[in-house]
Amino acid sequence: MAFEKDLNLDATELRLGLPGSSDESAKNQTPATLRSNNKRALPEESMSSNATASKNCDQETAPLPKAQVVGWPPIRSYRKNNLQPKKSEGEISGIYVKVSMDGAPYLRKIDLKVFKGYPELLKALEEMFKFKAGEYSEREGYNGSEFVPTYEDKDGDWMLAGDVPWEMFTNSCKKLKIMKGSEARGLGCV
Amino acid sequence: MNYFPDEVLEHVFDFITSHKDRNSVSLVCKSWYKIERCSRQRVFIGNCYSISPERLIARFPGLKSLTLKGKPHFADFNLVPHDWGGFVYPWIKALAKSRIGLEELRLKRMVVSDESLELLSKSFVNFKSLVLVSCEGFTTDGLAAIAANCRFLRELDLQENEVDDHRGHWLSCFPESCTSLISLNFACLRGEVNLGALERLVSRSPNLKSLRLNRAVPLDTLQKLLMRAPQLVDLGIGSYVHDPFSEVYNKLKIAIQRCKSIRSLSGFLEVAPHCMSAIYPIFGNLTFLNLSYAPGLHGNKLMKLIQHCRKLQRLWILDCIGDKGLGVVALTCKELQELRVFPSDPFGAGNAAVTEEGLVLVSAGCPKLNSLLYFCQQMTNAALITVAKNCPNFIRFRLCILDPIKPDPVTNQPLDEGFGAIVQSCKGLKRLSLSGLLTDQVFLYIGMYAEQLEMLSIAFAADSDKGMLYVLNGCKKLRKLEIRDCPFGDAALLEDVGKYETMRSLWMSSCEVTLGGCKSVAEKMPSLNVEIIDECEQMEFNLDDKQKVDKMYLYRTLVGHRKDAPEYVLIL
């Protein structure tokens, strides 16, 4: 029934069955345990609230990954407790830098990790501050633009954004500044 | 009828070392039984509740080495409450009172108190070796007692134990006179250690062959230790984080060059992946590499590393190696016998992880593969059939699909045919763990083909009692059967209760067996302990035979009901 799907009663239902066990594909071959309802529900075996996030997966074979069944997957507690996820090693934590713009009353902050390269970064900055940076070229920088993206690097120098490879940029960028084109003119010329 | 004097027979028996063989020898006749029992030095007890320490001591007066296992295997996965049992204290107490000259104690899944460790350390003059695997209940104070009192200690090996770490001083308790260490593994300890004491200990241990450090040992110390122990064969690195341009890094490079004997490497509990090149020289000689606690090593860096490991026989790795990385393993590690791929993100969205592709690649590239533990995102029948064809020599095959009832994603079929191919092809298969969508059919295959199977683990599988019956009827050598969340009920449980006496144990949780069924087994088989673990204590209020039992653990025993069970364990 349509409205039931919207309410996503399935995802929030407390039951012993596995996450995703209401799959279409599994319906014909679901083991008896998952069909039976005459067991008392153990306190541990409930869907976590995160499960509702995957409500769109109801009809697909994808499992609801966040809900947890006790003792599955079968890994020793020691291993579970001691395996530091990649996240804590700084791999996935963001690189947040302040972004200021000449004339703007306050600064913004963006996560450089989110972008794959300069084009995406520029697009985001343009949208954020409502300006156009123009075309970048190695020889002339952002020629003919009213505003130009610059950054302060680890050495404290102000650089034009776009000259160095992306990885090098994200590793060395301390803050971004969108300068007025007229002030930035000196930078583009070598 | 003995044509030989006892001493000759005893000498002959000296050459028979496997437990199975010695057990067989003891059954030949009364005099062989007597000679064997008096000369036996090593005893293995797979279930500490199957026999009592007193009977052990009475039968084997010459006992020097004892191995004991406590909790059922599923205790590893939080299915057994902490205080269920498996206490080692009564064993140590009884042995201490006796005249047994215990030299070695190896424990798995047991509760070990500081008190037991202290008693152990003071009771046996020649005590040499303590190995604790997946144990709990002790602190570093207990370790301090071992260090201080065991004058001839050769081995202290702590594997994956939950230890309450009171920090630092236990290492300093090894007296200056202790120079006998061959193996020291404290990788599972979380706290600080006295680095100076560690360095001095290693310096005065010329026989040290195996050293596994914990996270608190920095690279600086590692380098110093390696300089003092270039004879190491097995190394576990704690922390591997440093600046590649530093002095320490250069010193490490030099130290590593001197370590020509390292064949086994593990740890990297903290790792800076861009600095691995310092230790590349040892990868070429490794036969065992365990990177399963090093999620920081992945992608290209990991693959580059693996490419050096041409002599690898055993590899333990995380699934962030990916199918591509397993392809590199397949191309490089032609001597590979054992592969374990652990999940790096067990409850995650499945972004990391390996699939059937990685396994197929390894099976094609590594013909000597005989032992597998593989946590994966998905598996197909086609892949399993290919693997079965490529590797007919599997002794251990443990597959864990992270979604336990996932069918073959290509055909949407259960994985019956795939596992069927494995058991049919691998005639020497001793251990099997199943997962994925499975019907009764897979158990028909297992019963038919898995003639050497000794241990079977089943979860979320089967359609009916038939599944369990196929296994019980077919697998003549079955010793351990553990089942969770399957629709097996009393009919299957009661079909052949005599079978359970030929096995070490049976575990069934979240199945369909009732209290009445369990009682029936207990009545018919007095040689079994049938334990009901009832944490919610519903049994207390409602002893209705028709009630489903949540967790049942039964095992054969020569000593009847145990006296140390907690309140929520009902022994029928």
Side-chain angles (χ1 to χ4, degrees):
Chain A
M1 293 205 327
F3 86 93
E4 267 182 8
K5 199 161 160 221
D6 290 336
L7 287 177
N8 206 17
L9 293 173
D10 274 345
T12 50
E13 182 190 325
L14 273 182
R15 55 195 165 104
L16 279 178
L18 292 167
S21 57
S22 59
D23 287 351
E24 293 291 296
S25 60
K27 262 193 177 102
N28 298 332
Q29 332 220 22
T30 313
T33 34
L34 299 176
R35 291 190 223 111
S36 75
N37 291 316
N38 55 358
K39 288 197 229 174
R40 61 183 185 276
L42 292 172
E44 307 99 322
E45 284 185 90
S46 56
M47 305 286 236
S48 74
S49 56
N50 286 336
T52 52
S54 13
K55 58 177 88 168
N56 293 325
C57 298
D58 259 357
Q59 297 302 338
E60 291 159 16
T61 50
L64 297 168
K66 305 273 187 217
Q68 295 175 24
V69 175
V70 171
W72 196 271
I75 323 172
R76 273 188 192 163
S77 327
Y78 174 83
R79 184 172 283 282
K80 254 190 280 193
N81 296 337
N82 284 280
L83 192 66
Q84 295 211 325
K86 280 189 263 181
K87 295 175 178 88
S88 72
E89 291 194 29
E91 295 270 345
I92 299 176
S93 64
I95 303 176
Y96 281 91
V97 296
K98 290 183 192 170
V99 188
S100 62
M101 175 154 153
D102 282 344
Y106 54 83
L107 282 63
R108 301 297 302 272
K109 226 174 192 178
I110 55 169
D111 178 3
L112 293 180
K113 276 246 169 168
V114 161
F115 307 105
K116 295 198 173 49
Y118 288 111
E120 280 118 13
L121 171 65
L122 281 169
K123 189 147 173 274
L125 290 175
E126 284 173 338
E127 270 176 39
M128 203 183 255
F129 289 94
K130 307 281 182 283
F131 74 100
K132 280 264 173 275
E135 287 278 352
Y136 168 80
S137 75
E138 232 184 76
R139 229 165 57 84
E140 294 176 19
Y142 295 89
N143 197 19
S145 343
E146 209 193 335
F147 290 99
V148 162
T150 65
Y151 69 100
E152 185 183 34
D153 73 0
K154 278 191 175 143
D155 299 329
D157 300 319
W158 282 95
M159 315 287 290
L160 185 73
D163 288 338
V164 301
W166 176 253
E167 291 272 3
M168 202 185 284
F169 164 72
T170 54
N171 281 334
S172 57
C173 171
K174 276 176 48 196
K175 54 169 107 160
L176 280 161
K177 185 166 176 191
I178 300 168
M179 279 186 188
K180 275 219 172 76
S182 46
E183 287 177 20
R185 201 128 290 154
L187 287 175
C189 310
V190 172
Chain B
M1 247 192 327
N2 259 335
Y3 297 123
F4 299 114
D6 288 359
E7 300 79 49
V8 174
L9 273 175
E10 203 180 299
H11 184 66
V12 172
F13 290 172
D14 271 351
F15 293 96
I16 302 169
T17 46
S18 101
H19 294 293
K20 270 196 187 134
D21 290 341
R22 288 204 72 119
N23 292 347
S24 305
V25 157
S26 70
L27 293 173
V28 169
C29 63
K30 277 202 186 129
S31 92
W32 278 37
Y33 175 90
K34 181 165 150 270
I35 298 168
E36 196 282 320
R37 79 173 186 87
C38 290
S39 62
R40 177 101 83 142
Q41 293 186 346
R42 312 181 65 86
V43 174
F44 169 87
I45 296 176
N47 174 7
C48 64
Y49 291 118
S50 62
I51 191 73
S52 69
E54 289 75 24
R55 284 179 67 160
L56 170 74
I57 292 164
R59 179 169 171 188
F60 300 113
L63 182 68
K64 292 218 167 73
S65 162
L66 176 63
T67 303
L68 279 173
K69 292 190 180 181
K71 300 185 196 180
H73 176 230
F74 276 179
D76 276 349
F77 317 133
N78 290 338
L79 288 173
V80 177
H82 274 285
D83 50 346
W84 168 88
F87 307 104
V88 78
Y89 186 76
W91 290 85
I92 297 180
K93 187 160 160 226
L95 287 162
K97 257 200 273 186
S98 76
R99 273 188 252 155
I100 300 273
L102 194 69
E103 294 184 13
E104 177 176 285
L105 187 62
R106 308 168 76 93
L107 306 176
K108 188 168 184 180
R109 276 190 292 272
M110 293 200 72
V111 178
V112 180
S113 60
D114 282 345
E115 203 188 1
S116 356
L117 290 178
E118 212 181 302
L119 182 59
L120 177 69
S121 73
K122 293 186 174 149
S123 311
F124 307 103
V125 175
N126 281 322
F127 192 74
K128 295 194 171 75
S129 169
L130 180 63
V131 179
L132 303 177
V133 180
S134 270
C135 295
E136 51 167 351
F138 61 102
T139 76
T140 44
D141 292 348
L143 298 178
I146 297 287
N149 303 326
C150 300
R151 300 193 316 157
F152 304 112
L153 195 68
R154 289 196 199 158
E155 181 177 23
L156 179 59
D157 184 359
L158 308 171
Q159 298 176 31
E160 302 196 339
N161 302 291
E162 296 287 357
V163 184
D164 204 359
D165 200 325
H166 293 166
R167 302 218 170 319
H169 92 288
W170 68 275
L171 254 183
S172 321
C173 293
F174 281 103
E176 289 301 312
S177 55
C178 174
T179 57
S180 47
L181 272 183
I182 297 179
S183 166
L184 178 63
N185 172 8
F186 60 92
C188 65
L189 296 185
R190 299 213 185 105
E192 308 287 305
V193 283
N194 184 326
L195 298 176
L198 177 60
E199 285 172 44
R200 289 190 294 277
L201 179 62
V202 169
S203 294
R204 64 177 186 275
S205 303
N207 298 319
L208 194 68
K209 290 282 190 300
S210 168
L211 178 64
R212 295 191 185 190
L213 310 168
N214 76 349
R215 201 187 289 269
V217 179
L219 204 80
D220 188 32
T221 306
L222 171 67
Q223 166 267 124
K224 290 187 191 149
L225 295 173
L226 291 178
M227 288 301 281
R228 289 170 168 80
Q231 76 282 3
L232 282 178
V233 170
D234 169 32
L235 174 65
I237 290 180
S239 169
Y240 193 82
V241 178
H242 58 89
D243 175 356
F245 302 111
S246 67
E247 185 62 28
V248 171
Y249 187 74
N250 287 328
K251 285 189 186 168
L252 178 69
K253 271 188 182 170
I254 296 168
I256 286 287
Q257 306 270 4
R258 298 177 70 221
C259 295
K260 305 224 183 282
S261 305
I262 296 180
R263 298 286 172 270
S264 160
L265 186 64
S266 60
F268 296 96
L269 308 173
E270 265 175 15
V271 60
H274 45 278
C275 310
M276 296 300 281
S277 53
I279 53 172
Y280 277 177
I282 48 176
F283 284 105
N285 287 325
L286 291 181
T287 55
F288 176 44
L289 177 60
N290 180 358
L291 296 177
S292 64
Y293 285 100
L297 287 171
H298 55 279
N300 288 332
K301 296 275 190 299
L302 179 57
M303 289 199 249
K304 230 177 137 195
L305 211 144
I306 299 280
Q307 279 167 338
H308 289 256
C309 303
R310 304 200 157 274
K311 296 195 187 154
L312 215 54
Q313 293 172 14
R314 297 166 60 212
L315 175 63
W316 293 22
I317 199 91
L318 287 171
D319 61 6
C320 41
I321 191 174
D323 289 331
K324 209 166 151 220
L326 288 177
V328 175
V329 172
L331 284 173
T332 313
C333 310
K334 295 302 181 189
E335 301 298 313
L336 198 68
Q337 294 173 29
E338 176 179 324
L339 175 67
R340 296 195 190 193
V341 181
F342 293 96
S344 53
D345 192 9
F347 308 110
N351 293 322
V354 293
T355 70
E356 76 278 8
E357 288 178 20
L359 183 59
V360 168
L361 287 171
V362 175
S363 75
C366 308
K368 297 188 183 177
L369 197 63
N370 62 34
S371 176
L372 181 75
L373 173 61
Y374 197 72
F375 285 83
C376 59
Q377 210 43 37
Q378 63 184 45
M379 185 53 55
T380 65
N381 282 310
L384 285 173
I385 291 167
T386 305
V387 169
K389 240 188 281 186
N390 291 340
C391 295
N393 299 319
F394 274 116
I395 300 174
R396 270 167 248 114
F397 192 89
R398 298 157 69 188
L399 189 73
C400 177
I401 303 172
L402 293 171
D403 173 4
I405 50 158
K406 193 168 175 147
D408 179 331
V410 173
T411 63
N412 248 346
Q413 293 300 301
L415 291 175
D416 301 334
E417 298 307 309
F419 280 106
I422 294 286
V423 293
Q424 197 175 354
S425 164
C426 304
K427 309 220 184 295
L429 194 69
K430 287 193 182 167
R431 182 167 180 186
L432 178 64
S433 301
L434 308 168
S435 61
L437 188 65
L438 296 163
T439 72
D440 287 343
Q441 185 70 10
V442 70
F443 299 104
L444 174 66
Y445 292 142
I446 292 173
M448 263 169 71
Y449 296 113
E451 290 174 12
Q452 303 300 319
L453 197 65
E454 295 180 8
M455 181 169 177
L456 180 62
S457 310
I458 311 171
F460 303 104
D463 307 310
S464 74
D465 283 340
K466 278 201 252 164
M468 186 166 166
L469 289 171
Y470 290 143
V471 171
L472 291 176
N473 290 332
C475 300
K476 301 294 177 208
K477 299 213 176 164
L478 197 64
R479 291 191 299 117
K480 287 177 279 181
L481 180 58
E482 45 186 27
I483 304 169
R484 63 165 293 180
D485 293 274
C486 294
F488 302 142
D490 293 343
L493 180 68
L494 294 170
E495 169 85 2
D496 178 12
V497 293
K499 170 90 178 167
Y500 306 133
E501 212 176 30
T502 70
M503 292 166 55
R504 185 189 297 175
S505 64
L506 168 67
W507 167 282
M508 292 180 77
S509 60
S510 303
C511 295
E512 303 284 320
V513 293
T514 67
L515 181 58
C518 296
K519 277 187 183 171
S520 205
V521 177
E523 264 166 41
K524 295 186 180 151
M525 299 293 296
S527 58
L528 302 176
N529 275 355
V530 181
E531 298 193 8
I532 310 294
I533 299 170
D534 180 32
E535 290 160 280
C536 305
E537 284 175 80
Q538 293 212 357
M539 295 288 162
E540 249 192 68
F541 308 113
N542 179 9
L543 285 170
D544 176 11
D545 278 5
K546 286 200 271 299
Q547 189 174 3
K548 297 252 170 68
V549 158
D550 187 42
K551 293 175 183 169
M552 179 206 72
Y553 179 55
L554 64 81
Y555 51 90
R556 68 180 175 191
T557 178
L558 292 174
V559 291
H561 291 185
R562 61 186 175 108
K563 308 280 184 299
D564 62 0
E567 274 178 19
Y568 55 80
V569 172
L570 181 65
I571 306 184
L572 300 175

